[in-house]
Amino acid sequence: MRVRPHRKRPFRPSLSKSLSKTLSGIGNFSAGFDKAFDKVAKSLSLEEFRHDVVDGLSRPAKSIPCKYLYDEAGARLFDAICDLEEYYPTRTETAILRRNIREIAALLGPRCTLVEPGSGAGSKTRLLLDHLDSPEAYVPIDVADRQLLECSARLAADYPLLKVSPVCADYTHDFELPPLSFGSQRTIAVFLGSTIGNFEPQEAGEFLQRLARLCGNEGGLLIGVDLKKDPPILHRAYNDAQGVTAAFNLNLLGRINRDLAGRLEGSLFRHEAFYNERAGRIEMHLVSRLAQGIRIGSDEFLLAEGESIRTEHSYKYTRGEFLQLAADAGLEVKRCWTDQREWFSVHYLAPFQRDLPAQQGWKKSCVRPVPKESFLWGARFHRPTKSEVTKENL
Ligand code: AVJ
């Protein structure tokens, strides 16, 4: 069987020449992307961005969804945060994974398919792939199309036996995965870095349920969860001495200016992050240094001196709280690994009973209709087997 990108997808981002070249070098990936689709996809997500910003700033307690922190500059700043001395989560999680990788590999079993929402730079993925028993396929899901494609191409080149099938989508929406038939043993959702903490607890439960449906009765979830700890340690992690987190937060203003014709002045805001003990979460805000009016396109908003725009929530859990959250989503904590100080945890979850409706294929993972703009494209990368190398492919 020849493997082609799926033909009937409504939106496909176009690829730069050099990227298409990299991609065509690694197998029978055909880069038949249409520029027009790119424009439509971009303007649709810009519309969503504008809507979310205007909506968030119109509320009595102003806020902007945290996913908008991650444009290209934001993603780079976040990578820099992960290397900071004060920011313990990345380092601690990686150490937990390293220390327990054999047990993790044994639990995940042979020939699994890994699905990873918010795959990002994908360095922890490699640690898994290096130790798993003949992983069958890898399905990274991310909105950052460039990084997604580049990572996919590199992984496919480095792991010739792995089928890599990137999906460009915003996983905070319900999205549709292309129908994949990898013949793998089981599907494992990988959601590391404590990104689960960005969801409100109820949303986090719903998200876990969606992942559980996606993985089916035989599947499992590998989830990184930041744990509750002494507030000063948390405070330091989100208020680093070099101001990288502040730059990450303030970068959102630049993005609004650039993408939404905003006229926000970075120097009129300051970064603030604190642990809200009652709610059990870190809150990140942009605080107005003075009373000011801010323009975004044709909309104007008034900010009082000291008034803030909340840009992120990062919930922290105790092991017990997370166990409860998982249980409410029908998932059992099969195993939980932590570091000695119990600052961070990695959980392996699986469905409690076999009472989920049987899921055949991926499409049924969608409960609500798929918003068109949230699905960009699905393509597959893999090295063609001999029988797939037909004349047409060459
Ligand atoms: C990627 C959402 C897990 O909340 O710790 C880091 C993002 N924000 N510093 C976190 C973040 C400020 C990070 N997550």
Side-chain angles (χ1 to χ4, degrees):
M1 196 191 73
R2 288 181 51 214
V3 180
R4 287 169 168 278
H6 302 283
R7 291 272 166 220
K8 284 190 197 143
R9 298 299 169 199
F11 305 119
R12 294 180 183 136
S14 65
L15 303 175
S16 72
K17 279 226 174 83
S18 64
L19 189 54
S20 324
K21 228 173 151 191
T22 325
L23 300 179
S24 61
I26 57 141
N28 61 349
F29 177 81
S30 99
F33 295 99
D34 193 321
K35 275 241 153 72
F37 286 132
D38 192 19
K39 273 199 190 136
V40 180
K42 276 220 177 86
S43 66
L44 274 172
S45 52
L46 273 184
E47 237 164 69
E48 189 191 346
F49 184 26
R50 176 181 303 281
H51 170 272
D52 287 352
V53 169
V54 168
D55 181 59
L57 294 179
S58 309
R59 293 167 190 243
K62 296 181 171 53
S63 69
I64 295 172
C66 67
K67 65 183 177 185
Y68 296 115
L69 292 166
Y70 300 87
D71 62 347
E72 245 186 83
R76 249 184 290 121
L77 286 164
F78 178 66
D79 287 345
I81 288 175
C82 292
D83 291 335
L84 291 171
E85 193 268 316
E86 295 97 330
Y87 193 72
Y88 62 85
T90 315
R91 207 176 322 114
T92 313
E93 181 179 55
T94 306
I96 294 170
L97 290 172
R98 285 233 168 83
R99 195 166 327 111
N100 300 289
I101 195 67
R102 266 167 238 287
E103 193 189 349
I104 294 171
L107 270 168
L108 269 47
R111 292 180 46 219
C112 64
T113 290
L114 297 180
V115 177
E116 187 173 23
S119 44
S123 51
K124 289 168 210 154
T125 315
R126 285 177 180 257
L127 179 64
L128 286 175
L129 291 172
D130 285 341
H131 291 87
L132 289 179
D133 179 0
S134 333
E136 188 79 22
Y138 176 56
V139 184
I141 304 166
D142 212 296
V143 264
D145 52 357
R146 228 199 132 73
Q147 192 183 34
L148 178 72
L149 290 172
E150 281 167 353
C151 273
S152 299
R154 251 179 272 124
L155 274 175
D158 294 347
Y159 299 85
L161 296 177
L162 185 75
K163 292 157 188 158
V164 181
S165 182
V167 172
C168 189
D170 176 353
Y171 67 82
T172 62
H173 294 298
D174 238 336
F175 56 86
E176 184 183 1
L177 286 179
L180 310 168
S181 44
F182 292 128
S184 85
Q185 295 276 353
R186 59 218 302 240
T187 303
I188 308 287
V190 179
F191 200 53
L192 297 170
S194 196
T195 311
I196 191 82
N198 276 166
F199 291 101
E200 295 298 315
Q202 194 197 327
E203 289 168 6
E206 287 162 11
F207 183 67
L208 288 179
Q209 265 174 1
R210 272 171 57 205
L211 291 183
R213 270 197 298 273
L214 191 84
C215 296
N217 288 339
E218 310 301 325
L221 285 71
L222 192 67
I223 314 263
V225 184
D226 198 12
L227 297 175
K228 284 196 167 142
K229 59 185 64 64
D230 245 13
I233 299 163
L234 286 167
H235 184 88
R236 258 168 35 94
Y238 293 83
N239 291 281
D240 63 280
Q242 290 177 61
V244 184
T245 310
F248 171 67
N249 195 6
L250 287 158
N251 175 58
L252 181 60
L253 300 174
R255 184 180 191 178
I256 292 172
N257 288 345
R258 199 178 52 242
D259 293 350
L260 304 180
R263 296 217 212 104
L264 297 154
E265 183 52 63
S267 62
L268 301 184
F269 291 86
R270 62 182 167 79
H271 161 79
E272 194 175 295
F274 58 89
Y275 185 60
N276 177 338
E277 202 152 359
R278 200 170 36 85
R281 67 186 182 216
I282 285 280
E283 295 186 15
M284 200 161 79
H285 293 257
L286 288 166
V287 184
S288 181
R289 292 182 189 273
L290 70 186
Q292 58 175 319
I294 53 175
R295 285 192 79 81
I296 295 168
S298 54
D299 295 292
E300 185 160 7
F301 305 90
L302 294 175
L303 280 167
E305 184 184 341
E307 187 176 351
S308 78
I309 304 167
R310 196 244 302 147
T311 51
E312 191 173 46
H313 276 167
S314 187
Y315 280 86
K316 310 299 168 188
Y317 292 91
T318 64
R319 286 175 62 168
E321 283 167 351
F322 192 72
L323 186 128
Q324 190 57 53
L325 187 78
D328 292 344
L331 289 162
E332 186 179 0
V333 176
K334 293 280 185 193
R335 191 78 176 81
C336 169
W337 302 273
T338 60
D339 54 299
Q340 277 184 345
R341 296 183 288 197
E342 302 217 354
W343 279 8
F344 201 91
S345 62
V346 176
H347 288 75
Y348 180 65
L349 312 176
F352 257 117
Q353 298 140 6
R354 317 208 151 214
D355 61 355
L356 288 170
Q359 296 293 315
Q360 302 258 314
W362 300 82
K363 284 196 170 164
K364 292 184 186 160
S365 67
C366 297
V367 193
R368 282 177 277 139
V370 184
K372 258 201 211 145
E373 66 274 22
S374 72
F375 185 89
L376 292 183
W377 62 278
R380 294 181 186 193
F381 298 84
H382 79 159
R383 285 188 193 279
T385 60
K386 260 195 186 151
S387 62
E388 285 167 1
V389 183
T390 63
K391 247 197 212 155
E392 239 182 290
N393 265 333
L394 293 174

